Amino acid sequence: MSRLNLLNEPWIEVISMNEGTQREISLLELFHHAEQYRCLAGEMETQNFAVLRFLLAVVQTVFSRYDSDGNPYPFVELNDQMQQIDEVDEDDRDDYVEAREESWQALWKAGHFPEIVCQYLEKWQEHFFLFDETYPFYQITAEEMSKIIPDGKKPTEFSGRNLNRLISESGNKTALFSPVSAEKKDFMSASELARWLLMLQGYIGLSDKTSIVGKMQKPSKGWIFDIGGLYLKGDNLFETIMLNFIPVHPEPKYRLNGQKPCWENSGLRNVERLKSGKSVDNLAELYTNWSRAVYINPNMKNDEPVLLNIVKLPAIEHQDNFLEPMTIWSMNSTGDNKGHYTPRKHRPDQAVWRSFGLIALKTSSQSDQKQPAIIERIDEIRKIVGSKWIDIQAVSMKDDGNATSWVPVDEIIDNLNANDLVIADASDNGWIVRINNAVETTKQTVEIYREFVQDTAEIRGKDPRKDGKAFIDSEKENLYQNLNEPFRTWLSHIQPEDSKNEKVSEWYDSLKNIVMQQAESIVNRATTRDFIGIEKGDQIFNIVNAYQKFKNRVMQKLLR
């Protein structure tokens, strides 16, 4: 018996614009009134990112086939299910591309989604039941599981306490600070299950055992587990979806490819497509990519503990996979990926502004720079959206560091806020270059401070690589923590018409004050031993000498 149709039943957590209250809404309600909700508001930001990509897959699919008025493009052949059945002819490329860009502009100006989105979803209503024996949402059926599972193998059992990443408990490790009591850890509402199911497909790791991954393939940890996720946040949910909706992919090889979201296939076909190793070549398929074949008993009762049966699926290609628009990229200089770009996860000990260059600098083969497509698009759309502050949200999942399991343990979230004209100014002496230079100078200044702390450790008789390392690392990280908010504030207050020299000097003044204050705090806590110092060559080296050397280097570095 089919239960909980996600088109009509509330399951997506949002915050309303007017009351500021949190509530659950259905998928149809979201697309009817997206402009009335401030943002997604699920249990975790990583979960919100997974849900956002699901919503983007809907929009990518519909508006690759229909214009903003709900009329099918003449270049696209559709069936009765509003499904594209043939690729667009190469001769129609330019007209098709132009029509899709015009549709994006018309949608933005309208400020809401047209009825065609809900009409399309209703055509696929049978594929949006969370509990179903034929087309369960983001799952496979019992019969399909029996077809894919290797002989003599059983799926891995995955309980509610594994699925709920606020708990993330395994059979070997108890979550000590769980948000729910011990007896309730495996229980959740059906709407919670739907949200966590999307997150499971995006972030899971490798701790489960049963696999159908081929010898020449790698198992999937969840595609978005492996990326440094970025998205643009608008003033409401409609704007957020639209700012991240890419009507025409910047990579020419993907522009005419039909959109293939997972719900337009059976569960078995989704699994077989991944097993075949066929490349993912469209955004809707990428955004709805599965990391696991999941079976949930469709007869599971609401008062029963949640139990999933899961099987590992192959990962999609990471090397130079520029289909992905919502990640930071890194050029690899070593290892199996040497000479190739791969997605770079955000680092748990680094604020995202420290990666400003990877985010904002334009693509350049000379400097091994690949700009995220979602950021690259800001320059294209700013004439349509008008003057706007750009809120760049960064989302990643931290793992346990164990290469055999890669268990998700915590999320990494951050943001950058800047004027769109500032972020789009990529001229040789433009804002992007000047801000990136300021970031690099800041990093170099922090290294000068680290060397001062290292000198202090040596004066105190500590080996910088052993017993002094914790002190050095802690002081360096404390300095970065003290710089994070001032830098974000400085960046967010830059206006396009400001003098670049004056604004950069303003930051260097702040940087100098902060770093000097932190160094002075070490001097103020100095002991007699610090002032007596140590012999270094034929000289006495003490904290006064170390501080003076540090001060001179900082002044020279920040000399304007």
Side-chain angles (χ1 to χ4, degrees), residues 3 14 16 31 121 165 177 243 271 403 535 538 542:
R3 288 187 295 131
V14 296
S16 63
F31 280 110
L121 289 170
R165 287 299 169 194
F177 302 103
L243 289 171
V271 171
E535 289 187 10
D538 57 354
N542 62 15

Side-chain angles (χ1 to χ4, degrees), residues 57-269:
V58 175
V59 175
Q60 292 286 163
T61 300
V62 173
F63 296 108
S64 70
R65 303 169 187 177
Y66 294 86
D67 65 20
S68 58
D69 294 321
N71 300 314
Y73 296 118
F75 326 104
V76 181
E77 187 174 354
L78 305 174
N79 61 19
D80 292 340
Q81 282 293 111
M82 303 170 71
Q83 185 178 24
Q84 185 173 341
I85 55 178
D86 276 317
E87 300 293 342
V88 173
D89 194 289
E90 184 67 36
D91 292 340
D92 294 322
R93 171 187 286 267
D94 292 344
D95 291 338
Y96 182 48
V97 165
E98 183 179 355
R100 289 169 70 176
E101 287 288 7
E102 289 176 351
S103 289
W104 189 96
Q105 296 177 27
L107 286 169
W108 180 268
K109 291 175 182 177
H112 60 84
F113 289 112
E115 188 60 32
I116 190 65
V117 180
C118 294
Q119 291 172 0
Y120 163 79
L121 289 170
E122 286 168 342
K123 280 285 186 179
W124 291 91
Q125 182 162 324
E126 291 184 354
H127 291 239
F128 284 86
F129 284 102
L130 183 63
F131 302 105
D132 190 56
E133 294 179 348
T134 308
Y135 298 114
F137 180 74
Y138 270 65
Q139 305 157 57
I140 64 175
T141 65
E143 181 181 357
E144 289 170 335
M145 181 65 84
S146 66
K147 289 180 179 179
I148 69 167
I149 201 79
D151 292 339
K153 298 284 187 179
K154 292 182 179 181
T156 302
E157 291 189 343
F158 208 69
S159 65
R161 68 187 64 200
N162 307 132
L163 183 63
N164 184 338
R165 287 299 169 194
L166 296 177
I167 304 174
S168 286
E169 184 171 303
S170 68
N172 301 319
K173 182 179 179 182
T174 301
L176 298 179
F177 302 103
S178 168
V180 297
S181 60
E183 62 273 13
K184 294 292 185 180
K185 286 180 178 178
D186 289 324
F187 293 81
M188 62 181 64
S189 67
S191 58
E192 286 179 285
L193 175 56
R195 295 192 296 272
W196 287 119
L197 178 59
L198 285 179
M199 186 165 172
L200 175 148
Q201 296 290 16
Y203 306 91
I204 185 169
L206 298 175
S207 60
D208 52 316
K209 303 302 180 186
T210 311
S211 171
I212 56 170
V213 177
K215 290 183 179 179
M216 303 302 292
Q217 296 174 318
K218 295 180 179 179
S220 175
K221 300 192 287 289
W223 171 252
I224 52 178
F225 195 176
D226 278 342
I227 74 174
L230 297 173
Y231 71 94
L232 306 180
K233 188 175 182 179
D235 293 337
N236 56 52
L237 189 51
F238 169 79
E239 286 194 2
T240 296
I241 294 171
M242 287 297 297
L243 289 171
N244 295 283
F245 162 39
I246 299 178
V248 179
H249 203 284
E251 296 285 327
K253 67 178 180 179
Y254 299 126
R255 288 182 181 170
L256 297 186
N257 296 346
Q259 301 298 310
K260 302 179 182 69
C262 68
W263 58 80
E264 289 192 353
N265 291 319
S266 67
L268 183 60
R269 186 173 179 186

